[in-house]
Amino acid sequence: MRTLIFTLALCFTSVAFAKPVIFDNDMAIDDWAALLFLLQHPQTDVVAITISSSGESHCSPGLTNTNSLLDLSKYSRDSVLVACGDDEPLDGYAVFPDAWREDSDTLSGVAVKPSKRQASSEHAIEIIHQAIKEADEPVIIVATGTLTNIAQWIEKYPADMKEVSRLIIMGGNVDAPGNIIVPNFTDGHPNVSAEWNIFIDPLAADKVFASGLPIELVGLDVTNSVRLTAKVASEFKKSVTTPAAQFWDKILDKNDWFIESGEYYFWDTLAAIVAVEQGLCEGEMGSFSVEHKTTDNPWLPTSQLDFPKKRWDGKERQHLDAQWAGKLVKTSEYPAIKVCKKTNPNKVFSLFSEILNRQ
Ligand SMILES: [Ca+2]
């Protein structure tokens, strides 16, 4: 009886303290982990999921996979607002490598049950706006893809910004080197300064950094300390009990080569974890604009030339200089944001395992 009362009290407490969360992401490997963590966590209530389809996943598979992953967590709402944004960045022609996009679209080849859930046909920014209007308290936004949707939403619905308590972004790097050059995928790329999410849509990032939103930047400065090693994977595999954890277990198996390459970090997952454990981001305030100058000499291996010639705002789309795109530049003219510099890797990995296995 005492156990029952305790459980009921815990359930009530969980619901009472769950914060509405909007998850704007690009449905790549690390977004899957971040999404499952947010769905499983008792303090987060995922009310809307928007796909930044200028990022790693394409729109349609991104929606389908999102709905299937929602079914893996018994804590998901019966109906969650799910929608895509634009398929291209605000400006420029930059894209992630095809191989990464295919892996994202196919959930690394891990089979999931088709979902009966329906995605919305509305644009992502309408869904973000709707979720904010319907929430009875300020929302937390976790953004772990390109910032295309967030930038467009700010521009269309600036009054919504006061209804956002925190915007946690996976992206960027202040003191850490960039991560655009990945052996066997982007050898020879001219950009040594940027992080991928910011590189693909630097104009969007610049608008978001200028917005005054309460940003916590989970960039490479901190994510470099949470490398997903074979040891971390084998620790996770020791206790796998829920459908969410079973899915992640299979993803780890499919990505053993990625883990062994030493290039896999808890990028997006750390952002999701910081959303509920703010203390896991120790950082400092800083102000940054984002480099997005144009060029007539594009870097074709990370360009997709069939994007619409007109941008979202009707202006002519131009190529951005791949060498500098996405570089963060210190400036006193922008509002200060919090830059995460340090976390507790052991706690991050153990919390992830605990929450994914929450019964
Ligand atoms: Ca992502």
Side-chain angles (χ1 to χ4, degrees):
M1 189 53 154
R2 187 178 289 179
T3 312
L4 179 66
I5 291 168
F6 177 74
T7 308
L8 286 173
L10 194 65
C11 286
F12 178 75
T13 309
S14 302
V15 171
F17 287 100
K19 300 271 184 210
V21 170
I22 296 172
F23 185 46
D24 182 71
N25 79 103
D26 62 347
M27 280 304 279
I29 176 168
D30 208 35
D31 303 273
W32 311 331
L35 173 59
L36 293 173
F37 180 86
L38 291 172
L39 292 173
Q40 292 275 118
H41 202 287
Q43 290 167 17
T44 49
D45 176 16
V46 179
V47 293
I49 302 170
T50 46
I51 313 292
S52 51
S53 29
S54 60
E56 288 202 62
S57 201
H58 293 87
C59 170
S60 177
L63 295 176
T64 306
N65 293 336
T66 297
N67 281 329
S68 288
L69 294 200
L70 280 166
D71 289 344
L72 294 180
S73 176
K74 69 176 178 183
Y75 303 107
S76 302
R77 285 172 168 243
D78 289 339
S79 87
V80 180
L81 299 168
V82 179
C84 287
D86 286 3
D87 294 334
E88 55 282 325
L90 295 190
D91 202 5
Y93 291 83
V95 282
F96 280 94
D98 285 343
W100 301 358
R101 301 201 77 182
E102 190 182 336
D103 184 74
S104 303
D105 290 346
T106 58
L107 294 173
S108 289
V110 170
V112 286
K113 280 195 193 138
S115 177
K116 293 193 174 72
R117 295 170 185 267
Q118 293 288 320
S120 169
S121 56
E122 289 210 64
H123 193 284
I125 64 172
E126 303 303 329
I127 295 303
I128 294 172
H129 176 63
Q130 184 184 338
I132 288 171
K133 289 289 140 218
E134 286 174 1
D136 35 13
E137 61 178 303
V139 302
I140 295 173
I141 301 179
V142 181
T144 60
T146 49
L147 291 168
T148 316
N149 292 337
I150 303 297
Q152 287 178 325
W153 157 71
I154 290 169
E155 205 152 282
K156 183 161 181 191
Y157 297 110
D160 283 359
M161 286 199 283
K162 63 180 186 308
E163 305 297 332
V164 175
S165 60
R166 300 166 64 201
L167 168 59
I168 299 109
I169 294 172
M170 191 285 130
N173 52 308
V174 174
D175 296 322
N179 70 349
I180 302 301
I181 300 170
V182 179
N184 301 318
F185 292 101
T186 49
D187 301 284
H189 200 284
N191 190 314
V192 296
S193 316
E195 178 281 329
W196 272 102
N197 285 341
I198 308 296
F199 167 76
I200 296 287
D201 197 343
L203 174 57
D206 190 63
K207 286 175 178 290
V208 174
F209 287 5
S211 68
L213 277 163
I215 294 173
E216 293 156 53
L217 195 70
V218 178
L220 303 180
D221 301 282
V222 66
T223 60
N224 281 348
S225 67
V226 283
R227 191 198 301 266
L228 205 164
T229 60
K231 184 165 175 283
V232 170
S234 74
E235 277 299 314
F236 180 86
K237 286 170 161 294
K238 284 180 188 166
S239 59
V240 172
T241 55
T242 59
Q246 284 159 359
F247 169 80
W248 188 246
D249 184 44
K250 289 180 197 158
I251 295 295
L252 292 174
D253 287 342
K254 290 277 187 187
N255 286 280
D256 53 354
W257 64 274
F258 188 21
I259 293 165
E260 277 160 27
S261 77
E263 300 284 343
Y264 185 25
Y265 298 85
F266 254 15
W267 299 285
D268 303 349
T269 317
L270 182 60
I273 290 172
V274 165
V276 283
E277 295 284 341
Q278 212 163 2
L280 287 172
C281 157
E282 288 178 45
E284 58 198 35
M285 302 302 286
S287 307
F288 307 91
S289 63
V290 181
E291 197 67 78
H292 57 277
K293 61 184 169 199
T294 59
T295 181
D296 295 328
N297 186 22
W299 180 258
L300 294 175
T302 49
S303 299
Q304 183 172 325
L305 302 180
D306 63 356
F307 282 162
K309 297 290 177 228
K310 293 269 188 239
R311 314 193 315 184
W312 94 106
D313 58 359
K315 291 183 183 157
E316 208 68 32
R317 182 177 299 277
Q318 300 195 64
H319 282 285
L320 302 183
D321 187 335
Q323 183 178 356
W324 300 109
K327 180 182 168 61
L328 270 54
V329 181
K330 285 196 172 106
T331 170
S332 57
E333 289 168 25
Y334 278 36
I337 62 176
K338 183 179 179 186
V339 178
C340 303
K341 287 290 183 73
K342 200 175 164 208
T343 191
N344 178 339
N346 289 337
K347 185 159 182 206
V348 165
F349 291 122
S350 65
L351 184 63
F352 176 74
S353 181
E354 178 194 326
I355 294 299
L356 250 66
N357 285 294
R358 177 183 168 221
Q359 296 289 347

